[in-house]
Amino acid sequence: MKITIQTNKNLRKKADFLILSFSYTSKKTKPLFKGDSFKSIIKEPINTKDFLGKAKDISLVYSSKNKEKRVLLLGLGSEKELNEYNLCEAYASAISFLKNKKASSVNIIIPNIDMEKDVLVKGVVEAIYLANYNFDKYKFVTKKNLFSIKEVCLIGLEKRDNHLVKKASIISQGVNLTRDLVNTNADDETPQTLAKLAKDFEKISNKVKVEVFDKKRIEKENMNLLLAVNKGSNKDPVFIIVKYKGDPSSKDSSVIIGKGITYDTGGLSLKPSTSMDTMKSDMSGGASILGSIYAIIKLNLKVNVTAIVPATENAIGPKSYKPGDVYVSACNRSVEVKNTDAEGRLILAEALSYASHKIKPNRVIDLASLTGACVVALGEEISALFSNDRTLAKQLIKASNKTGDHLWRLPLFPEYKKLLKSEIADISNVGGRGAGTITAALFLQEFVDKVSWAHIDIAGPAFKSTLSALHPTYATGAGVRLLVNFFENLK
Ligand code: BES
Ligand code: ZN
C-alpha cells in the first residue's frame, strides 16, 4: 500500500472515497476541515442529525460533482478527549469500512485539531496500516473475499511531514510482521525460521549483529531449562540474540526478551484440546520482540538494544521432560518442574539470567504470553506489568497510554514467594491455584539478579478471540507500538 501527501486539497487526484472528519463536543457537530467546498455534501446528514460525529460514527454520502463520488463522514467524538489512541481507533473503523466496500484509493483530509503534528500523523497512518492488514497465507478459494486499500493520499500535510508518515509506516510494518509470525502455523514458523528472520536483520543496517545459539551451543552454555522444554520436540531449540548499537557513544543499553514457544501442547501435563487450539500464538512475546527490534533498526533510533528470543516447541512425545523432574539452570539454580505446561518461565529464566549476568544492561524488559490466569484477571485488552523499578514502570505506563497497548501494574508481592518452595530443588516452577500471574512473575524475578527489570504478560491482548477494526485478525502485534514508543522516549 502506498501513502502520499498532497498539501493543496484542490490539487488532489481522483479517488474512490474521501474521508472527512468531525468532532462532537457539547452536542455540537463540527467539521474538522477548513473551507466551504463540502458544504452541500454535509448539510443534510448534519441537519437531520443522522450523523452526529460521535467517536467512530460513520455516514456515507454521495456526490456526483466531487472528485470522489463517495464521501465518508467520520466522527472523532469530543475534541477534549481526543488522543493518539482513540484517533487511531476512529480512523481504523473508517478504513475497515472502506476495505469492505472494496475501496482501492482513498483521500483523507487531515483533521484540523489541537494535536501535535507527529501524534496526529502517527494515529492516522497506523490506523491505515493496521486496519488494512489481511492474513491470506492460508486462504485459497476465499482469497477473493479479502480486500485491501492500495493507495491513500493524506491531504493538508506539508512535504516536510513525509518523515512522520515514514516513521509511522515503519512502526506499523513492525506490528504487521509480528502478526504474520503469530498467525502462521507452528510447523511453518519454527525456531529455525525465526532465527533466519532475525539473521536477515543484519542486512538492514551495519549497526546490527545477530548471533544464533544452536542446540550444541545451548548445551555448552548449560541452558538446561531451555533444553528440558525442548526434549519432546522434533525441532532443535534456538537462542536468538540481535544486537543493535544505535548509539555507540553511550554506555546505556537495554535488553528486550520474548517468549518463543512456537507451539505449547503443555507437554506431559497436556492441555485440554479447547485450551490448545490457540497455542501457536505462544511465541507472541518473541514475535513482538522481533517486530520491535525490526522497527527500532529501521527507524535508526539512537539507542543500544539487544533483543533475545529463546525459542522451542513444548511438544509431547517419548522424550518429553516429565512432571516431577529437577533441572539445573545455567546460573546454577535447580528447578522442580511440577507442571510441564509452565514452560515459558523456564526458557525465560535462562534468557533473563543470560542478560543480567553476561550482558549486564541498564534495564531488561520481557514480553510473554505467560499465564492463562492473566487473561482471567485482565481480559483481552490489558497486559499485566510487573517491575522492580518504579521509574521503568512509569516510563512503560506512559508509553502504554500513548499507544493503546494497555498495561496494568500488578505487585511482585514477596509473601507469595513461599508458594514456589520446593522440597527437593531450589524452586518449583508453579505456585498453586491462586495469583498465578504473580507467582509466574516472582519465579522470573529469581533469575534477574539486581538489574532493573520489567515483565509484561501479554497472554490476553496478543491473540484475541474477538476481532475489531484495528485488529482484523486474531494476532494483534501487542507490545510492538509500546516498546518502540518506550525507546523513542528513552532519555
Ligand atoms: N501458554 C500458556 C499461557 C496462556 C494461556 C497464554 C492462555 C495465552 C492464553 C502457558 O505456557 C501456560 O500454559 N501456563 C499455565 C501455567 C500453569 C500450569 C501454572 C496456565 O496458565 O495454565
Ligand atoms: Zn504452557
Side-chain angles (χ1 to χ4, degrees):
M1 202 230 328
K2 210 172 111 189
I3 299 186
T4 54
I5 282 177
Q6 174 55 260
T7 309
N8 184 343
K9 78 170 181 302
N10 298 325
L11 298 179
R12 73 189 192 276
K13 284 197 205 144
K14 283 186 174 177
D16 296 336
F17 286 88
L18 173 71
I19 302 180
L20 296 175
S21 57
F22 299 78
S23 64
Y24 187 68
T25 315
S26 314
K27 297 196 171 168
K28 271 217 171 97
T29 308
K30 179 177 140 198
L32 297 173
F33 44 89
K34 289 186 192 137
D36 289 337
S37 37
F38 304 111
K39 214 172 169 182
S40 61
I41 306 174
I42 64 175
K43 201 172 128 205
E44 288 310 324
I46 292 176
N47 284 350
T48 56
K49 298 204 182 301
D50 280 354
F51 175 80
L52 291 175
K54 287 186 181 171
K56 298 187 199 175
D57 269 358
I58 280 177
S59 273
L60 193 55
V61 291
Y62 301 89
S63 157
S64 53
K65 289 189 208 103
N66 218 32
K67 284 193 183 174
E68 308 83 359
K69 300 284 164 277
R70 291 169 285 180
V71 180
L72 187 134
L73 313 185
L74 171 67
L76 302 184
S78 156
E79 257 184 281
K80 273 183 270 157
E81 284 163 34
L82 252 185
N83 55 32
E84 175 186 316
Y85 164 58
N86 50 33
L87 176 87
C88 185
E89 290 240 305
Y91 272 94
S93 55
I95 294 296
S96 173
F97 182 88
L98 296 185
K99 195 173 143 189
N100 293 328
K101 289 262 179 255
K102 306 179 195 174
S104 169
S105 55
V106 177
N107 286 337
I108 299 178
I109 305 240
I110 290 294
N112 183 20
I113 45 179
D114 184 21
M115 194 181 265
E116 282 170 37
K117 197 67 148 309
D118 57 337
V119 179
L120 173 63
V121 174
K122 207 167 166 201
V124 176
V125 172
E126 286 183 4
I128 297 169
Y129 278 104
L130 301 190
N132 205 31
Y133 174 78
N134 285 323
F135 183 73
D136 60 6
K137 194 172 184 156
Y138 304 120
K139 290 264 190 191
F140 293 93
V141 183
T142 53
K143 203 172 191 150
K144 61 179 186 304
N145 303 336
L146 287 179
F147 299 99
S148 61
I149 297 164
K150 306 285 176 292
E151 237 180 287
V152 176
C153 182
L154 303 176
I155 294 149
L157 292 181
E158 314 284 331
K159 275 254 147 48
R160 65 182 134 87
D161 296 327
N162 216 356
H163 78 283
L164 299 175
V165 175
K166 225 170 153 192
K167 242 170 81 173
S169 308
I170 291 171
I171 297 167
S172 310
Q173 278 167 21
V175 177
N176 287 342
L177 167 66
T178 301
R179 290 169 164 184
D180 281 345
L181 295 175
V182 177
N183 278 323
T184 300
N185 283 3
D187 282 339
D188 295 339
E189 202 60 76
T190 63
Q192 284 64 39
T193 64
L194 291 177
K196 161 93 178 57
L197 174 90
K199 196 79 194 147
D200 284 347
F201 290 167
E202 278 184 347
K203 293 180 193 154
I204 308 175
S205 159
N206 57 11
K207 296 175 184 166
V208 180
K209 289 275 165 298
V210 180
E211 229 186 320
V212 176
F213 292 177
D214 61 6
K215 188 174 176 184
K216 252 199 180 145
R217 176 70 192 269
I218 293 168
E219 283 167 351
K220 210 170 141 213
E221 295 284 338
N222 278 319
M223 295 178 170
N224 296 313
L225 302 182
L226 174 57
L227 291 165
V229 176
N230 178 254
K231 279 177 81 172
S233 173
N234 61 1
K235 300 167 193 81
D236 280 357
V238 294
F239 192 85
I240 303 167
I241 306 168
V242 181
K243 286 186 190 148
Y244 169 68
K245 226 169 169 33
D247 189 6
S249 64
S250 163
K251 282 206 164 63
D252 187 87
S253 72
S254 309
V255 173
I256 51 177
I257 297 173
K259 171 179 173 181
I261 294 291
T262 52
Y263 200 85
D264 184 15
T265 64
L268 285 171
S269 313
L270 189 64
K271 281 187 183 295
S273 48
T274 48
S275 304
M276 205 192 289
D277 59 2
T278 56
M279 283 300 131
K280 69 174 176 190
S281 70
D282 216 19
M283 36 63 85
S284 54
S288 294
I289 293 306
L290 293 174
S292 302
I293 196 76
Y294 168 83
I296 289 167
I297 296 166
K298 288 273 271 188
L299 290 169
N300 201 18
L301 291 189
K302 222 169 158 346
V303 286
N304 301 316
V305 187
T306 298
I308 297 183
V309 181
T312 174
E313 231 175 49
N314 185 22
I316 187 164
K319 292 187 183 161
S320 291
Y321 74 140
K322 297 173 178 64
D325 283 351
V326 176
Y327 288 91
V328 185
S329 71
C331 64
N332 248 338
R333 217 168 251 270
S334 63
V335 180
E336 181 184 3
V337 179
K338 282 195 184 148
N339 190 320
T340 60
D341 196 12
E343 81 301 329
R345 63 196 75 182
L346 298 177
I347 69 167
L348 288 173
E350 296 292 14
L352 289 166
S353 71
Y354 182 86
S356 42
H357 293 119
K358 299 262 169 86
I359 304 182
K360 298 189 172 74
N362 296 76
R363 63 197 72 74
V364 177
I365 303 168
D366 77 75
L367 258 67
S369 53
L370 205 63
T371 63
C374 191
V375 192
V376 175
L378 299 176
E380 291 190 334
E381 298 295 332
I382 307 168
S383 299
L385 166 70
F386 295 87
S387 185
N388 59 6
D389 178 341
R390 218 190 255 179
T391 311
L392 179 59
K394 237 172 129 179
Q395 289 166 326
L396 283 165
I397 286 172
K398 200 168 162 202
S400 145
N401 292 336
K402 281 248 180 270
T403 57
D405 270 343
H406 303 296
L407 296 179
W408 194 261
R409 193 172 177 192
L410 294 181
L412 286 160
F413 193 57
E415 281 80 352
Y416 286 166
K417 272 191 207 165
K418 61 176 175 285
L419 299 172
L420 293 165
K421 251 190 160 160
S422 162
E423 293 307 320
I424 59 161
D426 297 330
I427 192 167
S428 159
N429 78 328
V430 288
R433 260 181 63 78
T437 305
I438 298 178
T439 51
L442 287 169
F443 179 90
L444 297 180
Q445 192 180 21
E446 293 299 305
F447 295 85
V448 291
D449 215 23
K450 288 182 187 69
V451 69
S452 158
W453 161 71
H455 158 59
I456 301 174
D457 193 333
I458 57 170
F463 200 75
K464 289 188 185 171
S465 59
T466 48
L467 308 181
S468 65
L470 196 58
H471 300 299
T473 64
Y474 298 132
T476 61
V480 175
R481 290 188 293 158
L482 175 88
L483 285 184
V484 175
N485 188 284
F486 171 83
F487 283 110
E488 278 180 325
N489 294 303
L490 191 63
K491 296 264 153 49

